[in-house]
């Protein structure tokens, strides 16, 4: 393959895996997991918010009572 200027580029961009790993750092799963982890309370709030009767009732009597009424 040639680039638009006409010079061959295929051989010039190939590098060994060990060399590439020296400067490309990957995130560990544990750090990604901690970024996406939701607390149990946050999961409960989302569950109630996604169910309209629970969401409406939580505005009237409070979240914990509404959640326990529908999911408790």
């Amino acid at each position: 393959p040639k680039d638009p200027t006409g010079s061959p580029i295929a051989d010039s961009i190939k590098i060994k895996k060990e060399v590439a790993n020296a400067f490309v750092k990957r995130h560990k799963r544990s750090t990604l997991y901690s970024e996406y982890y939701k607390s149990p309370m946050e999961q409960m709030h989302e569950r109630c918010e996604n169910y309209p009767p629970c969401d409406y009732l939580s505005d009237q009597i409070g979240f914990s009572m509404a959640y326990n009424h529908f999911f408790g």
Side-chain angles (χ1 to χ4, degrees):
K2 293 185 178 186
D3 66 4
T5 61
S7 62
I9 59 170
D11 293 332
S12 65
I13 61 171
K14 292 183 181 178
I15 58 175
K16 293 183 180 181
K17 184 178 179 180
E18 295 79 18
V19 175
N21 286 338
F23 63 89
V24 176
K25 302 291 182 187
R26 292 185 176 183
H27 294 288
K28 294 183 179 180
R29 287 181 189 246
S30 61
T31 58
L32 291 176
Y33 175 76
S34 64
E35 291 176 10
Y36 295 113
Y37 176 75
K38 294 181 182 177
S39 69
M41 184 60 76
E42 186 176 359
Q43 292 173 357
M44 290 168 57
H45 273 280
E46 287 183 356
R47 186 175 182 194
C48 187
E49 288 172 354
N50 291 332
Y51 186 59
C54 183
D55 190 33
Y56 176 77
L57 191 59
S58 69
D59 291 337
Q60 307 301 316
I61 63 172
F63 165 74
S64 60
M65 291 177 65
Y67 186 87
N68 286 335
H69 177 75
F70 289 103
F71 304 109

